[in-house]
């Protein structure tokens, strides 16, 4: 149709396009490889997926301050941001591999293969890794390299053919057989990547369904659960947190899929005799039911990482007594099914509080995200030193002899939950109507006498007592509310709690690291 322009005038734009095309081939090849690896992993062990393996390694290697910053900045999305960044980095390098492959396919293939070697190494470096964990990365490498070579071969081997002698018109580039070939190949690979990624997701979701286990009733039941303030004031946090709304904090990018029939709990270390229990063994022991509020040490003042649930489990001391704890131990080093460790001060865990080896949450088996089949729940201690999910081993040892995951990252070893209170309504920087309003929220003082009083100060004025919701025990949070005749203007609301031991919430500000945040929540509200 058109006359071939002289090479210099069209070369810049076309050259750019061709480069983009080859970079795109690299990216597409990486996507196909990743999807194939992810699908393979969802059939074997989801944690061995190349993306998750690299992501988990990055989490473990991330310095504590940066992790804190990520949790603060991205909140519950911190893992999405992490996986997204890892993926972006991989795709960038894959683009480079595509560019390399234009002139030297072997070099491009090698760079792509190197990326998957790193992923395979990350998968194998996991504490409980099996040799088969390298399979998804191998599949990713073979698929990715295969896709890249196919795309490069399908593309025009020489995108700058010299104009035929005599300068006759050329065929239009978009209909050249090679261009069509690469487009067809890209289309096929794109569809394949989407299908494999979709299938992998679907499979993983299917396997995430809670396991079908029946739990016996507790021999020691919790009292009848009262109606919460949320029935009157829906903006106030529900008195019991449904499992699907319960905050989740752990180092995992995926969720361990534990087969309850193969699962065993071992108690060893400084004990009279090592004990190994099956899930059935555990259920045959006396079960107690307790309402306990969990809190994460990473929760900032006014933050969301706190939840209240009814837990079913065996008393931790009953389990430890089976093994007979020796005299030298000062910590329980618990290990999850993936080798992650959490340390708990032995004296606190066994001081008579309702520490549980828990099997149930809110009337059902533990959800997989929250530790199925068995986790620890210990009132009054932040989750990172007490609430081991996917529990597999408890080793009686000393802090001098062994250190746990977060201890190695400079977090405190003794971290009682700090007395805290939160304003749920009105929201920070909300604009509300003048007149009758309600200020309300929750407060917690687990194992410190519970919440005895909550007080609110408006615009820095005198502390006024709030009304409390139902009392579910000292290890449970307490809802509170206060009527407020809101007058037009901008107002500051501050809250503080007093615990059953008469201690008032500390106004001194502290960041979550290394032993939990303190300070009073203060919000600004506009009234019109
Ligand atoms: N195996 C394992 N258990 C774990 C963690 C973890 O990373 N791995 N995180 C702990 C932390 S920091 C907290 S706050 C609680 C959170 O429990 P949840 O996710 O059920 O709310 O689990 C604890 N148990
Ligand atoms: Mo935590």
């Amino acid at each position: 149709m058109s006359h071939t322009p002289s090479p210099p005038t069209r070369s810049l734009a076309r050259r750019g396009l061709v480069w983009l095309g080859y970079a795109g081939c690299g990216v597409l090849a990486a996507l196909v490889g990743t999807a194939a690896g992810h699908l393979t992993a969802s059939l074997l062990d989801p944690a061995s997926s190349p993306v998750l393996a690299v992501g988990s390694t990055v989490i473990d290697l991330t310095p504590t301050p940066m992790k804190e910053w990520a949790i603060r900045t991205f909140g519950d999305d911190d893992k999405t941001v992490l996986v997204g960044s890892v993926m972006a980095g991989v795709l960038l390098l894959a683009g480079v591999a595509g560019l390399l492959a234009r002139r030297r396919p072997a070099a491009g293939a090698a760079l792509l293969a190197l990326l998957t070697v790193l992923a395979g190494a990350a998968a194998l470096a996991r504490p409980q890794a099996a040799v088969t964990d390298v399979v998804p990365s191998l599949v990713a490498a073979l698929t990715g390299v295969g896709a890249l070579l196919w795309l490069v071969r399908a593309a025009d081997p020489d995108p700058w053919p010299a104009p035929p002698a005599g300068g006759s018109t050329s065929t239009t580039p978009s209909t050249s057989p090679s261009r069509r070939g690469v487009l067809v190949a890209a289309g096929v690979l794109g569809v394949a990547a989407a299908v494999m990624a979709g299938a992998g997701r679907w499979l993983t979701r299917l396997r995430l369904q809670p396991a079908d286990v029946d739990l016996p009733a507790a021999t020691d039941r919790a009292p009848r659960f009262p109606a919460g303030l949320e029935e009157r004031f829906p903006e106030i946090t529900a008195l019991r947190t449904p499992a699907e709304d319960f905050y989740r904090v752990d180092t995992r990018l995926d969720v361990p899929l534990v087969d309850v029939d193969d699962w065993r709990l071992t108690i060893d270390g400084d004990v009279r005799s090592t004990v190994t229990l099956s899930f059935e063994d555990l259920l045959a022991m006396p079960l107690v039911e307790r309402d306990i509020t969990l809190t994460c040490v990473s929760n900032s003042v006014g933050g969301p990482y706190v939840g209240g649930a009814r837990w079913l489990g065996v008393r931790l001391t009953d389990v430890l007594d089976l093994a007979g704890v020796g005299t030298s131990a000062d910590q329980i080093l618990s290990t999850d099914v993936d080798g992650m460790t959490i340390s708990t001060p032995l004296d606190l865990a066994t001081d008579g509080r309702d520490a549980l080896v828990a099997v149930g949450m809110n009337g059902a088996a533990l959800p997989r995200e929250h530790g199925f089949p068995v986790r620890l729940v210990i009132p009054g201690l932040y989750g990172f030193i007490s609430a081991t999910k996917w529990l597999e081993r408890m080793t009686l040892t000393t802090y001098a002899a062994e250190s746990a995951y977060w201890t190695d990252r400079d977090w405190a070893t003794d971290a009682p939950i700090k007395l805290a209170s939160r304003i749920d309504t009105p929201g920070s920087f909300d604009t509300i109507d003048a007149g009758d309003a309600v200020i309300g929220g929750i407060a917690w003082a687990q194992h410190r006498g519970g919440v005895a009083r909550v007080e609110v100060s408006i615009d820095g004025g005198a502390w006024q007592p709030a009304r409390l919701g139902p009392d579910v025990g000292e290890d449970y949070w307490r809802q509170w509310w206060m009527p407020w005749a809101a007058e037009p203007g901008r107002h500051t609301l501050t809250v503080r709690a007093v615990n059953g031991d008469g201690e008032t919430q500390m106004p001194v500000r502290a960041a979550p690291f290394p032993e939990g945040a303190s300070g009073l929540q203060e919000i600004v509200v506009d009234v019109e």
Side-chain angles (χ1 to χ4, degrees), residues 68 196 283 340:
E68 279 301 280
M196 287 188 293
L283 295 190
M340 194 268 181

Side-chain angles (χ1 to χ4, degrees), residues 229-441:
L229 285 185
E230 74 275 14
E231 298 196 351
R232 221 173 126 196
F233 310 115
E235 264 75 50
I236 295 181
T237 300
L239 189 52
R240 177 180 288 169
T241 315
E244 59 275 17
D245 297 337
F246 209 92
Y247 82 91
R248 178 184 166 198
V249 171
D250 52 61
T251 59
R252 305 277 309 216
L253 286 169
D254 62 329
V255 175
L257 299 170
V258 181
D259 182 345
V260 70
D261 296 321
D262 298 340
W263 177 88
R264 295 289 180 276
L265 172 63
T266 303
I267 302 99
D268 62 5
D270 178 25
V271 291
R272 194 178 55 237
S273 58
T274 297
V275 167
T276 302
L277 301 172
S278 68
F279 193 62
E280 277 188 10
D281 293 337
L282 211 55
L283 295 190
M285 296 176 72
L287 290 169
V288 302
E289 196 180 52
R290 291 292 180 267
D291 295 310
I292 297 169
T293 292
L294 292 191
T295 312
C296 182
V297 69
S298 295
N299 197 42
S300 44
V301 172
Y305 302 131
V306 54
R310 173 161 288 191
W311 306 93
L312 176 75
V314 179
R315 286 186 175 286
L316 173 63
T317 44
D318 285 356
V319 173
L320 294 180
D321 285 349
L322 291 177
V325 176
T327 50
S328 66
D330 62 10
Q331 75 153 319
I332 305 171
L333 185 75
S334 47
T335 307
D336 79 359
V337 295
D338 206 34
M340 194 268 181
T341 51
I342 284 182
S343 72
T344 307
L346 177 62
D347 54 346
L348 298 182
T350 56
D351 67 359
R353 69 183 78 203
D354 286 322
L356 301 180
V357 178
V359 293
M361 179 183 192
N362 292 345
L366 293 176
R368 294 195 184 272
E369 292 85 350
H370 297 291
F372 179 84
V374 174
R375 74 174 304 170
L376 291 177
V377 171
I378 305 178
L381 302 178
Y382 284 118
F384 81 115
I385 59 157
S386 72
T388 317
K389 304 191 274 190
W390 316 293
L391 178 68
E392 188 175 85
R393 182 179 299 272
M394 288 189 283
T395 304
L396 280 299
T397 180
T398 62
Y399 283 101
E402 292 196 68
S403 57
Y405 184 90
W406 278 297
T407 315
D408 292 337
R409 287 159 180 76
D410 298 328
W411 287 84
T413 50
D414 183 0
I417 298 174
K418 293 180 182 173
L419 171 59
S421 52
R422 183 174 86 192
I423 302 172
D424 292 333
T425 185
S428 185
F429 293 109
D430 273 3
T431 301
I432 62 168
D433 292 336
D436 289 338
V438 163
I439 308 171

Side-chain angles (χ1 to χ4, degrees), residues 155-175:
D156 195 334
D158 183 359
W160 315 109
S168 67
T169 57
S170 73
T171 51
T172 52
S174 60
T175 55

